[in-house]
Amino acid sequence: MNKSELQQHDRDHLLHPFTDFNDLGKQGTRVITGAEGAYITDIDGHKMLDGMSGLWCCSLGYSRREISDAIYEQLNKLPFYNSFFQCTTVPSIELADALAEVAPKGLNNVFFTGSGSEANDTNLRIIRRYWDLKEQPEKRIVISRKNAYHGSTIGGASLGGMGGMHKQFQALDYIEHIEQPYWFGEGGELSPEEFGIKAARALDEKIQELGPEKVAAFIAEPIQGAGGVIIPPESYWPEVKKVLDQYDILLVMDEVIFGFGRTGEWFGADYYGLQPDLMTFAKAVTNGYFPLGGTMVSDRVAEVIKSRGGEFAHGYTYSAHPAGCMAGLATVNILRNEKIIENVRDNTAPYLARRWAELGDHPIVGEARSLGMVGALELVKDKNSRARFDDDCTAGGVCRDMSIKHGLVMRATGDTMIIAPPLILTTEQVDELVEKAHRALDDTAKAMA
Ligand SMILES: *Cc1c(COP(=O)(O)O)cnc(C)c1O
Protein backbone atom coordinates (compact mmCIF):
# COMPACT_ATOMS: atom_id res chain seq x y z
CA MET A 1 0.00 0.00 0.00
CA ASN A 2 1.20 3.51 -0.73
CA LYS A 3 0.94 6.35 1.74
CA SER A 4 -2.55 7.55 0.87
CA GLU A 5 -3.88 3.98 0.80
CA LEU A 6 -2.36 3.32 4.21
CA GLN A 7 -3.94 6.50 5.56
CA GLN A 8 -7.33 5.53 4.12
CA HIS A 9 -7.22 2.02 5.60
CA ASP A 10 -6.05 3.54 8.87
CA ARG A 11 -9.13 5.81 8.91
CA ASP A 12 -11.37 2.88 8.02
CA HIS A 13 -10.22 0.39 10.61
CA LEU A 14 -8.01 1.81 13.33
CA LEU A 15 -9.28 3.58 16.42
CA HIS A 16 -6.29 5.52 17.76
CA PRO A 17 -5.59 6.28 21.42
CA PHE A 18 -5.73 9.95 22.50
CA THR A 19 -6.70 11.14 19.03
CA ASP A 20 -9.34 13.53 17.71
CA PHE A 21 -10.86 11.54 14.85
CA ASN A 22 -11.98 14.70 13.04
CA ASP A 23 -8.43 16.01 12.89
CA LEU A 24 -7.20 12.59 11.86
CA GLY A 25 -9.75 12.47 9.06
CA LYS A 26 -8.59 15.85 7.77
CA GLN A 27 -4.83 15.50 8.05
CA GLY A 28 -4.22 11.77 7.88
CA THR A 29 -1.80 9.99 10.18
CA ARG A 30 1.95 10.29 10.01
CA VAL A 31 3.19 6.85 9.03
CA ILE A 32 6.43 6.03 10.82
CA THR A 33 8.33 3.29 9.05
CA GLY A 34 11.80 3.06 10.53
CA ALA A 35 14.16 4.17 13.26
CA GLU A 36 17.85 4.18 14.04
CA GLY A 37 19.70 5.45 17.09
CA ALA A 38 17.90 8.61 18.21
CA TYR A 39 16.10 9.15 14.89
CA ILE A 40 12.81 8.04 13.35
CA THR A 41 11.87 8.10 9.66
CA ASP A 42 8.42 8.47 8.12
CA ILE A 43 7.05 6.98 4.92
CA ASP A 44 8.19 10.03 2.91
CA GLY A 45 11.76 9.39 4.03
CA HIS A 46 11.67 12.41 6.37
CA LYS A 47 14.16 11.79 9.17
CA MET A 48 13.52 13.31 12.59
CA LEU A 49 15.48 13.52 15.82
CA ASP A 50 13.10 11.88 18.28
CA GLY A 51 12.88 14.42 21.07
CA MET A 52 10.25 12.28 22.85
CA SER A 53 11.97 8.85 22.93
CA GLY A 54 8.89 7.33 21.30
CA LEU A 55 6.39 7.89 24.09
CA TRP A 56 8.95 8.46 26.87
CA CYS A 57 10.10 4.87 26.55
CA CYS A 58 12.97 4.41 24.09
CA SER A 59 15.65 5.91 26.33
CA LEU A 60 18.44 3.96 24.65
CA GLY A 61 17.22 4.79 21.18
CA TYR A 62 16.06 2.36 18.54
CA SER A 63 19.10 0.27 17.66
CA ARG A 64 19.79 -2.01 20.61
CA ARG A 65 20.13 -5.51 19.20
CA GLU A 66 20.92 -6.87 22.68
CA ILE A 67 17.31 -6.21 23.67
CA SER A 68 15.63 -7.55 20.55
CA ASP A 69 17.94 -10.60 20.57
CA ALA A 70 17.10 -11.29 24.22
CA ILE A 71 13.40 -11.24 23.37
CA TYR A 72 13.86 -13.47 20.32
CA GLU A 73 15.99 -16.02 22.15
CA GLN A 74 13.50 -16.18 25.01
CA LEU A 75 10.57 -16.60 22.62
CA ASN A 76 12.33 -19.60 21.13
CA LYS A 77 13.18 -21.11 24.51
CA LEU A 78 10.01 -20.51 26.54
CA PRO A 79 7.67 -18.05 24.81
CA PHE A 80 5.19 -17.94 27.65
CA TYR A 81 4.51 -19.22 31.02
CA ASN A 82 2.56 -17.58 33.83
CA SER A 83 3.54 -16.88 37.39
CA PHE A 84 0.16 -17.66 38.93
CA PHE A 85 -0.50 -20.58 41.30
CA GLN A 86 3.07 -21.12 42.54
CA CYS A 87 4.73 -21.18 39.13
CA THR A 88 7.66 -19.06 38.11
CA THR A 89 10.16 -18.59 35.28
CA VAL A 90 13.87 -17.90 35.30
CA PRO A 91 13.68 -14.50 33.51
CA SER A 92 11.14 -13.17 36.02
CA ILE A 93 13.38 -14.11 38.94
CA GLU A 94 16.45 -12.60 37.31
CA LEU A 95 14.71 -9.32 36.50
CA ALA A 96 13.18 -9.09 40.00
CA ASP A 97 16.71 -9.53 41.41
CA ALA A 98 18.14 -6.85 39.13
CA LEU A 99 15.33 -4.39 39.93
CA ALA A 100 15.79 -4.89 43.66
CA GLU A 101 19.45 -4.00 43.17
CA VAL A 102 18.88 -0.78 41.25
CA ALA A 103 15.74 0.45 43.06
CA PRO A 104 15.97 2.82 46.03
CA LYS A 105 16.83 1.21 49.36
CA GLY A 106 14.00 -0.74 50.95
CA LEU A 107 12.24 -1.57 47.69
CA ASN A 108 13.07 -5.25 47.30
CA ASN A 109 9.92 -6.81 45.88
CA VAL A 110 8.25 -6.41 42.54
CA PHE A 111 4.80 -7.20 41.16
CA PHE A 112 4.92 -7.36 37.35
CA THR A 113 2.19 -6.09 35.05
CA GLY A 114 1.87 -5.45 31.33
CA SER A 115 1.83 -1.64 31.53
CA GLY A 116 2.00 1.44 33.73
CA SER A 117 -1.78 1.75 33.93
CA GLU A 118 -2.11 -1.82 35.13
CA ALA A 119 0.66 -1.22 37.65
CA ASN A 120 -1.27 1.70 39.14
CA ASP A 121 -4.36 -0.49 39.36
CA THR A 122 -2.17 -3.02 41.14
CA ASN A 123 -1.08 -0.25 43.52
CA LEU A 124 -4.71 0.43 44.40
CA ARG A 125 -5.19 -3.28 45.10
CA ILE A 126 -2.04 -3.49 47.23
CA ILE A 127 -2.92 -0.34 49.18
CA ARG A 128 -6.35 -1.72 50.08
CA ARG A 129 -4.96 -5.15 50.94
CA TYR A 130 -2.22 -3.64 53.09
CA TRP A 131 -4.54 -1.54 55.26
CA ASP A 132 -7.07 -4.37 55.53
CA LEU A 133 -4.38 -6.76 56.74
CA LYS A 134 -3.18 -4.08 59.17
CA GLU A 135 -6.74 -3.98 60.48
CA GLN A 136 -7.22 -0.35 59.54
CA PRO A 137 -9.88 -0.82 56.87
CA GLU A 138 -11.10 2.76 57.32
CA LYS A 139 -7.97 3.92 55.51
CA ARG A 140 -9.44 4.04 52.03
CA ILE A 141 -8.79 7.39 50.39
CA VAL A 142 -5.94 7.97 47.95
CA ILE A 143 -4.82 11.55 47.34
CA SER A 144 -3.45 12.51 43.94
CA ARG A 145 -2.93 15.77 42.08
CA LYS A 146 -4.73 17.71 39.40
CA ASN A 147 -3.15 17.38 35.97
CA ALA A 148 -1.30 14.21 37.02
CA TYR A 149 -1.11 11.31 34.56
CA HIS A 150 -1.28 7.80 35.98
CA GLY A 151 -2.56 5.84 33.00
CA SER A 152 -5.80 5.14 31.22
CA THR A 153 -7.50 2.17 32.87
CA ILE A 154 -10.36 3.19 35.18
CA GLY A 155 -7.98 3.04 38.15
CA GLY A 156 -5.17 4.87 36.39
CA ALA A 157 -7.44 7.53 34.94
CA SER A 158 -9.17 8.04 38.31
CA LEU A 159 -5.78 8.57 39.93
CA GLY A 160 -4.84 10.93 37.13
CA GLY A 161 -6.06 14.48 37.33
CA MET A 162 -6.65 15.35 33.70
CA GLY A 163 -9.88 17.28 33.29
CA GLY A 164 -10.41 16.19 29.69
CA MET A 165 -10.19 12.52 30.67
CA HIS A 166 -12.44 12.85 33.73
CA LYS A 167 -15.21 14.26 31.54
CA GLN A 168 -15.35 10.98 29.62
CA PHE A 169 -15.72 8.36 32.35
CA GLN A 170 -16.87 7.87 35.91
CA ALA A 171 -13.95 8.06 38.30
CA LEU A 172 -13.55 5.92 41.42
CA ASP A 173 -15.04 7.75 44.37
CA TYR A 174 -12.22 7.22 46.86
CA ILE A 175 -9.64 9.33 45.05
CA GLU A 176 -9.13 13.04 45.86
CA HIS A 177 -7.05 15.59 43.97
CA ILE A 178 -5.03 18.54 45.24
CA GLU A 179 -3.32 21.40 43.42
CA GLN A 180 -0.23 20.70 41.30
CA PRO A 181 3.13 22.44 41.88
CA TYR A 182 3.00 24.29 38.54
CA TRP A 183 4.69 27.59 39.30
CA PHE A 184 4.72 29.10 35.79
CA GLY A 185 1.00 28.49 35.28
CA GLU A 186 -0.38 28.93 38.77
CA GLY A 187 2.26 30.57 40.95
CA GLY A 188 0.97 34.11 40.49
CA GLU A 189 3.04 36.63 42.45
CA LEU A 190 4.68 34.04 44.70
CA SER A 191 8.32 33.10 44.26
CA PRO A 192 8.87 29.49 43.11
CA GLU A 193 10.05 28.58 46.60
CA GLU A 194 6.99 30.10 48.29
CA PHE A 195 4.69 28.47 45.78
CA GLY A 196 6.36 25.05 46.28
CA ILE A 197 5.66 25.26 50.01
CA LYS A 198 2.07 26.34 49.36
CA ALA A 199 1.46 23.43 46.96
CA ALA A 200 2.92 20.99 49.50
CA ARG A 201 0.81 22.44 52.33
CA ALA A 202 -2.26 21.69 50.19
CA LEU A 203 -1.54 18.02 50.92
CA ASP A 204 -1.57 18.69 54.66
CA GLU A 205 -4.80 20.65 54.36
CA LYS A 206 -6.46 17.86 52.38
CA ILE A 207 -5.35 15.24 54.92
CA GLN A 208 -6.75 17.37 57.76
CA GLU A 209 -10.00 17.89 55.89
CA LEU A 210 -10.49 14.16 55.18
CA GLY A 211 -9.11 12.95 58.52
CA PRO A 212 -5.68 11.28 58.58
CA GLU A 213 -7.26 8.03 59.79
CA LYS A 214 -9.10 7.78 56.46
CA VAL A 215 -6.19 8.51 54.13
CA ALA A 216 -4.44 5.42 52.76
CA ALA A 217 -1.89 6.83 50.31
CA PHE A 218 -0.57 9.77 48.34
CA ILE A 219 0.46 9.16 44.71
CA ALA A 220 2.62 11.45 42.58
CA GLU A 221 5.01 11.54 39.68
CA PRO A 222 8.35 12.98 40.80
CA ILE A 223 7.92 15.48 37.95
CA GLN A 224 4.62 15.56 36.05
CA GLY A 225 5.40 14.28 32.57
CA ALA A 226 2.33 14.23 30.34
CA GLY A 227 0.95 17.19 32.31
CA GLY A 228 3.66 19.33 30.70
CA VAL A 229 7.01 18.45 32.30
CA ILE A 230 6.10 20.27 35.48
CA ILE A 231 9.28 20.39 37.53
CA PRO A 232 8.24 21.25 41.08
CA PRO A 233 10.02 24.11 42.85
CA GLU A 234 12.92 22.84 44.98
CA SER A 235 10.97 23.49 48.17
CA TYR A 236 8.14 21.15 47.16
CA TRP A 237 9.31 17.59 47.78
CA PRO A 238 11.10 18.26 51.11
CA GLU A 239 7.90 19.87 52.39
CA VAL A 240 5.71 17.00 51.10
CA LYS A 241 8.06 14.59 52.84
CA LYS A 242 7.62 16.51 56.10
CA VAL A 243 3.83 16.32 55.74
CA LEU A 244 3.83 12.58 55.00
CA ASP A 245 6.22 11.84 57.87
CA GLN A 246 3.63 13.23 60.31
CA TYR A 247 0.98 10.73 59.28
CA ASP A 248 0.78 7.02 58.63
CA ILE A 249 0.16 7.39 54.89
CA LEU A 250 1.79 5.40 52.08
CA LEU A 251 3.79 7.24 49.43
CA VAL A 252 3.36 5.93 45.89
CA MET A 253 5.84 7.32 43.38
CA ASP A 254 4.79 6.88 39.77
CA GLU A 255 8.15 6.53 38.05
CA VAL A 256 6.82 5.35 34.70
CA ILE A 257 8.60 8.26 32.98
CA PHE A 258 11.41 9.11 35.38
CA GLY A 259 12.51 5.61 36.29
CA PHE A 260 15.60 4.16 34.63
CA GLY A 261 17.71 7.26 34.44
CA ARG A 262 15.75 10.20 33.14
CA THR A 263 16.76 12.53 35.99
CA GLY A 264 20.40 11.38 35.89
CA GLU A 265 19.68 9.05 38.83
CA TRP A 266 18.13 5.61 38.57
CA PHE A 267 14.77 6.86 39.85
CA GLY A 268 13.16 10.20 40.59
CA ALA A 269 12.92 9.05 44.21
CA ASP A 270 16.74 8.88 44.27
CA TYR A 271 16.98 12.34 42.78
CA TYR A 272 14.64 13.84 45.39
CA GLY A 273 15.83 11.66 48.30
CA LEU A 274 12.42 10.04 48.85
CA GLN A 275 11.57 6.58 50.20
CA PRO A 276 8.39 5.45 48.48
CA ASP A 277 6.31 2.55 49.79
CA LEU A 278 5.26 1.66 46.25
CA MET A 279 6.95 2.67 43.00
CA THR A 280 5.31 2.29 39.59
CA PHE A 281 7.48 1.61 36.54
CA ALA A 282 6.91 0.73 32.86
CA LYS A 283 7.97 2.35 29.56
CA ALA A 284 11.80 2.61 29.68
CA VAL A 285 12.19 -0.62 31.68
CA THR A 286 12.31 -2.49 28.35
CA ASN A 287 13.39 0.54 26.32
CA GLY A 288 9.92 0.33 24.79
CA TYR A 289 10.75 -2.98 23.13
CA PHE A 290 8.13 -5.02 25.01
CA PRO A 291 5.03 -4.05 27.00
CA LEU A 292 6.05 -4.53 30.62
CA GLY A 293 5.38 -2.64 33.82
CA GLY A 294 5.17 -3.25 37.49
CA THR A 295 5.34 -1.85 40.95
CA MET A 296 8.25 -2.08 43.36
CA VAL A 297 6.97 -2.81 46.83
CA SER A 298 8.74 -1.72 50.01
CA ASP A 299 9.79 -4.20 52.66
CA ARG A 300 7.26 -2.61 55.03
CA VAL A 301 4.34 -3.32 52.69
CA ALA A 302 5.60 -6.59 51.20
CA GLU A 303 6.15 -8.04 54.67
CA VAL A 304 2.47 -7.55 55.53
CA ILE A 305 1.18 -8.89 52.21
CA LYS A 306 3.49 -11.91 52.35
CA SER A 307 3.33 -12.85 56.01
CA ARG A 308 -0.28 -12.43 57.05
CA GLY A 309 -1.58 -15.25 54.89
CA GLY A 310 -4.47 -15.51 52.49
CA GLU A 311 -4.32 -15.25 48.74
CA PHE A 312 -3.63 -11.91 47.11
CA ALA A 313 -6.44 -12.24 44.56
CA HIS A 314 -4.94 -10.15 41.79
CA GLY A 315 -2.79 -10.67 38.70
CA TYR A 316 -2.57 -10.42 34.95
CA THR A 317 -2.03 -13.19 32.41
CA TYR A 318 1.06 -11.36 31.22
CA SER A 319 2.44 -10.53 34.67
CA ALA A 320 6.16 -11.34 34.36
CA HIS A 321 6.00 -12.39 30.70
CA PRO A 322 9.33 -14.19 30.15
CA ALA A 323 10.20 -12.31 26.95
CA GLY A 324 9.37 -8.98 28.59
CA CYS A 325 11.51 -9.85 31.57
CA MET A 326 14.44 -10.68 29.28
CA ALA A 327 13.94 -7.33 27.54
CA GLY A 328 13.99 -5.62 30.96
CA LEU A 329 17.11 -7.48 32.00
CA ALA A 330 18.92 -6.56 28.77
CA THR A 331 17.93 -2.91 29.25
CA VAL A 332 19.10 -2.77 32.86
CA ASN A 333 22.38 -4.42 31.84
CA ILE A 334 23.02 -1.83 29.14
CA LEU A 335 22.22 1.04 31.53
CA ARG A 336 24.66 -0.43 34.05
CA ASN A 337 27.48 -1.63 31.80
CA GLU A 338 27.65 1.49 29.67
CA LYS A 339 27.21 3.85 32.61
CA ILE A 340 24.46 5.62 30.68
CA ILE A 341 22.88 7.20 33.75
CA GLU A 342 26.19 8.48 35.13
CA ASN A 343 26.91 10.02 31.74
CA VAL A 344 23.52 11.74 31.74
CA ARG A 345 24.12 13.10 35.24
CA ASP A 346 27.69 14.28 34.65
CA ASN A 347 27.67 15.31 30.98
CA THR A 348 24.56 15.26 28.82
CA ALA A 349 22.01 16.69 31.27
CA PRO A 350 24.16 19.66 32.36
CA TYR A 351 24.91 20.38 28.71
CA LEU A 352 21.22 20.14 27.74
CA ALA A 353 20.33 22.40 30.69
CA ARG A 354 22.74 25.07 29.47
CA ARG A 355 21.69 24.94 25.83
CA TRP A 356 17.95 24.59 26.56
CA ALA A 357 18.04 27.64 28.86
CA GLU A 358 19.20 29.72 25.88
CA LEU A 359 15.78 29.17 24.31
CA GLY A 360 14.35 31.18 27.21
CA ASP A 361 15.63 34.31 25.45
CA HIS A 362 13.37 33.71 22.48
CA PRO A 363 10.62 36.38 22.22
CA ILE A 364 7.76 33.84 22.45
CA VAL A 365 9.22 31.75 25.30
CA GLY A 366 8.01 32.66 28.79
CA GLU A 367 10.04 29.98 30.52
CA ALA A 368 12.56 27.34 29.41
CA ARG A 369 13.01 24.70 32.11
CA SER A 370 14.77 21.36 32.17
CA LEU A 371 15.98 18.69 34.56
CA GLY A 372 17.91 15.59 33.59
CA MET A 373 16.74 14.63 30.11
CA VAL A 374 13.41 16.44 30.05
CA GLY A 375 12.62 20.00 29.10
CA ALA A 376 9.69 22.34 28.56
CA LEU A 377 9.11 25.68 26.82
CA GLU A 378 6.15 27.85 27.79
CA LEU A 379 4.92 29.63 24.66
CA VAL A 380 3.61 33.14 25.37
CA LYS A 381 2.49 36.22 23.52
CA ASP A 382 3.85 38.44 26.25
CA LYS A 383 6.84 37.44 28.36
CA ASN A 384 6.12 39.75 31.29
CA SER A 385 2.46 38.97 31.88
CA ARG A 386 2.91 35.31 30.78
CA ALA A 387 -0.17 35.85 28.56
CA ARG A 388 -0.82 33.08 26.03
CA PHE A 389 -1.63 33.67 22.36
CA ASP A 390 -5.23 32.47 22.66
CA ASP A 391 -7.51 30.31 24.80
CA ASP A 392 -7.37 27.34 22.43
CA CYS A 393 -3.60 26.86 22.77
CA THR A 394 -3.10 26.96 19.00
CA ALA A 395 0.55 28.03 19.35
CA GLY A 396 1.49 24.64 20.77
CA GLY A 397 0.07 22.72 17.81
CA VAL A 398 1.69 25.15 15.36
CA CYS A 399 5.06 24.80 17.06
CA ARG A 400 4.81 21.01 17.07
CA ASP A 401 4.12 20.95 13.33
CA MET A 402 6.97 23.42 12.63
CA SER A 403 9.29 21.32 14.74
CA ILE A 404 8.43 18.15 12.84
CA LYS A 405 8.99 20.03 9.58
CA HIS A 406 12.48 20.95 10.79
CA GLY A 407 13.22 17.34 11.74
CA LEU A 408 12.60 17.31 15.48
CA VAL A 409 9.82 15.54 17.36
CA MET A 410 8.60 17.80 20.16
CA ARG A 411 5.23 17.31 21.85
CA ALA A 412 2.72 20.05 22.68
CA THR A 413 0.75 19.97 25.93
CA GLY A 414 -1.46 22.98 25.39
CA ASP A 415 1.01 25.79 24.78
CA THR A 416 3.80 23.99 26.59
CA MET A 417 6.35 22.33 24.30
CA ILE A 418 7.98 19.32 25.90
CA ILE A 419 10.94 17.06 25.17
CA ALA A 420 12.25 13.84 26.66
CA PRO A 421 14.98 12.78 24.24
CA PRO A 422 16.89 9.49 24.45
CA LEU A 423 19.49 9.37 27.23
CA ILE A 424 22.09 8.35 24.65
CA LEU A 425 22.10 11.75 22.94
CA THR A 426 25.58 13.11 22.21
CA THR A 427 26.34 16.77 22.89
CA GLU A 428 26.33 17.32 19.10
CA GLN A 429 22.82 15.92 19.00
CA VAL A 430 21.82 18.21 21.86
CA ASP A 431 23.04 21.11 19.71
CA GLU A 432 21.02 19.78 16.80
CA LEU A 433 17.93 19.50 19.00
CA VAL A 434 18.25 23.06 20.32
CA GLU A 435 18.91 24.52 16.87
CA LYS A 436 15.86 22.77 15.40
CA ALA A 437 13.70 23.87 18.33
CA HIS A 438 14.91 27.43 17.77
CA ARG A 439 13.89 27.31 14.12
CA ALA A 440 10.48 25.94 15.10
CA LEU A 441 10.05 28.83 17.55
CA ASP A 442 10.97 31.39 14.87
CA ASP A 443 8.38 29.92 12.50
CA THR A 444 5.77 29.76 15.25
CA ALA A 445 6.35 33.44 16.10
CA LYS A 446 5.81 34.33 12.44
CA ALA A 447 2.70 32.15 12.10
CA MET A 448 1.12 33.55 15.28
CA ALA A 449 1.93 37.22 14.50
C1 LIG B 1 2.60 6.44 30.53
C2 LIG B 1 2.33 6.59 31.98
C3 LIG B 1 1.50 5.70 32.67
C4 LIG B 1 0.73 4.63 31.96
O1 LIG B 1 1.52 3.66 31.41
P1 LIG B 1 0.91 2.73 30.22
O2 LIG B 1 2.01 1.75 29.97
O3 LIG B 1 0.59 3.63 29.08
O4 LIG B 1 -0.31 2.09 30.77
C5 LIG B 1 1.37 5.84 34.03
N1 LIG B 1 2.02 6.80 34.69
C6 LIG B 1 2.80 7.69 34.07
C7 LIG B 1 3.52 8.72 34.86
C8 LIG B 1 2.97 7.64 32.69
O5 LIG B 1 3.72 8.54 32.06
Side-chain angles (χ1 to χ4, degrees):
M1 282 191 269
N2 64 28
K3 179 177 162 188
S4 59
E5 285 165 347
L6 284 166
Q7 288 176 328
Q8 189 54 49
H9 284 251
D10 183 88
R11 276 188 206 105
D12 292 345
H13 301 294
L14 200 50
L15 288 173
H16 290 257
F18 286 102
T19 294
D20 178 328
F21 295 101
N22 266 329
D23 291 349
L24 185 137
K26 276 184 234 138
Q27 297 160 3
T29 32
R30 293 185 290 126
V31 185
I32 308 302
T33 50
E36 200 186 339
Y39 298 85
I40 58 170
T41 310
D42 71 15
I43 196 162
D44 299 319
H46 183 51
K47 187 172 160 183
M48 292 159 275
L49 178 59
D50 185 5
M52 282 306 299
S53 304
L55 205 49
W56 321 88
C57 43
C58 304
S59 292
L60 300 171
Y62 294 95
S63 305
R64 297 311 305 231
R65 273 303 285 268
E66 302 93 321
I67 307 171
S68 34
D69 284 347
I71 294 168
Y72 183 70
E73 281 161 26
Q74 184 59 42
L75 288 176
N76 286 325
K77 197 189 291 172
L78 176 69
F80 175 79
Y81 206 73
N82 67 73
S83 46
F84 287 30
F85 321 132
Q86 306 192 21
C87 291
T88 194
T89 64
V90 178
S92 63
I93 298 166
E94 288 182 350
L95 181 58
D97 261 356
L99 292 177
E101 274 175 36
V102 299
K105 214 167 100 267
L107 293 168
N108 291 306
N109 284 263
V110 57
F111 191 100
F112 285 114
T113 69
S115 69
S117 304
E118 287 176 12
N120 278 328
D121 279 28
T122 296
N123 283 332
L124 291 174
R125 298 293 310 274
I126 291 178
I127 291 164
R128 174 79 46 116
R129 179 85 179 140
Y130 173 77
W131 289 116
D132 280 351
L133 289 170
K134 294 263 289 180
E135 290 167 10
Q136 289 174 265
E138 68 287 0
K139 275 191 174 287
R140 283 287 194 249
I141 300 171
V142 179
I143 300 176
S144 180
R145 302 179 302 178
K146 291 178 187 161
N147 197 36
Y149 188 75
H150 295 299
S152 207
T153 52
I154 300 291
S158 297
L159 288 168
M162 304 238 157
M165 289 175 73
H166 275 263
K167 277 193 206 123
Q168 298 185 5
F169 78 107
Q170 190 175 349
L172 300 173
D173 63 6
Y174 55 89
I175 294 165
E176 298 275 338
H177 295 85
I178 58 169
E179 295 304 323
Q180 56 175 334
Y182 179 27
W183 176 77
F184 183 85
E186 295 166 11
E189 297 301 310
L190 297 179
S191 71
E193 296 320 289
E194 289 165 343
F195 179 70
I197 301 282
K198 179 169 176 264
R201 300 307 308 169
L203 175 60
D204 194 46
E205 285 155 25
K206 185 54 100 178
I207 294 168
Q208 298 290 350
E209 176 197 321
L210 297 166
E213 72 288 351
K214 297 205 176 117
V215 179
F218 172 60
I219 182 168
E221 302 156 83
I223 294 167
Q224 283 147 272
V229 178
I230 293 162
I231 302 166
E234 274 174 35
S235 56
Y236 181 73
W237 275 114
E239 190 67 21
V240 167
K241 195 162 178 281
K242 257 193 247 164
V243 171
L244 289 173
D245 285 348
Q246 287 172 40
Y247 307 103
D248 200 11
I249 292 172
L250 299 175
L251 171 61
V252 187
M253 298 291 291
D254 184 338
E255 300 260 8
V256 170
I257 288 177
F258 287 89
F260 303 94
R262 198 149 280 284
T263 61
E265 301 290 339
W266 272 91
F267 293 91
D270 298 316
Y271 183 87
Y272 286 113
L274 300 165
Q275 274 113 29
D277 298 290
L278 297 163
M279 194 177 79
T280 323
F281 64 88
K283 293 191 173 124
V285 62
T286 62
N287 199 39
Y289 278 42
F290 201 98
L292 177 82
T295 186
M296 299 294 303
V297 182
S298 65
D299 300 341
R300 166 191 172 188
V301 173
E303 180 61 25
V304 171
I305 306 269
K306 283 175 159 181
S307 70
R308 306 244 170 140
E311 176 179 309
F312 181 42
H314 172 71
Y316 307 105
T317 300
Y318 298 124
S319 285
H321 192 291
C325 289
M326 287 311 288
L329 202 56
T331 303
V332 170
N333 283 339
I334 294 171
L335 288 169
R336 276 177 167 168
N337 297 341
E338 299 180 14
K339 304 220 175 308
I340 306 267
I341 299 172
E342 290 84 343
N343 189 47
V344 164
R345 184 192 59 204
D346 299 338
N347 301 310
T348 328
Y351 189 74
L352 176 68
R354 209 162 64 239
R355 297 277 356 245
W356 190 253
E358 292 169 18
L359 296 173
D361 296 333
H362 197 280
I364 65 162
V365 175
E367 182 183 68
R369 57 177 179 269
S370 76
L371 191 157
M373 294 301 276
V374 292
L377 303 172
E378 298 284 3
L379 304 184
V380 291
K381 191 173 174 184
D382 180 66
K383 276 167 112 79
N384 291 323
S385 67
R386 301 181 199 163
R388 302 290 190 180
F389 286 94
D390 52 42
D391 292 340
D392 301 334
C393 303
T394 43
V398 169
C399 189
R400 182 203 47 224
D401 292 347
M402 296 297 183
S403 180
I404 286 167
K405 190 184 85 189
H406 287 296
L408 168 67
V409 179
M410 278 202 282
R411 174 163 153 185
T413 303
D415 278 345
T416 309
M417 303 309 299
I418 57 180
I419 55 155
L423 309 185
I424 52 154
L425 239 52
T426 62
T427 50
E428 290 77 20
Q429 287 168 328
V430 170
D431 291 335
E432 180 188 334
L433 186 154
V434 171
E435 278 149 32
K436 286 176 169 172
H438 200 284
R439 265 177 254 154
L441 290 169
D442 287 346
D443 285 358
T444 306
K446 269 186 227 139
M448 297 303 294

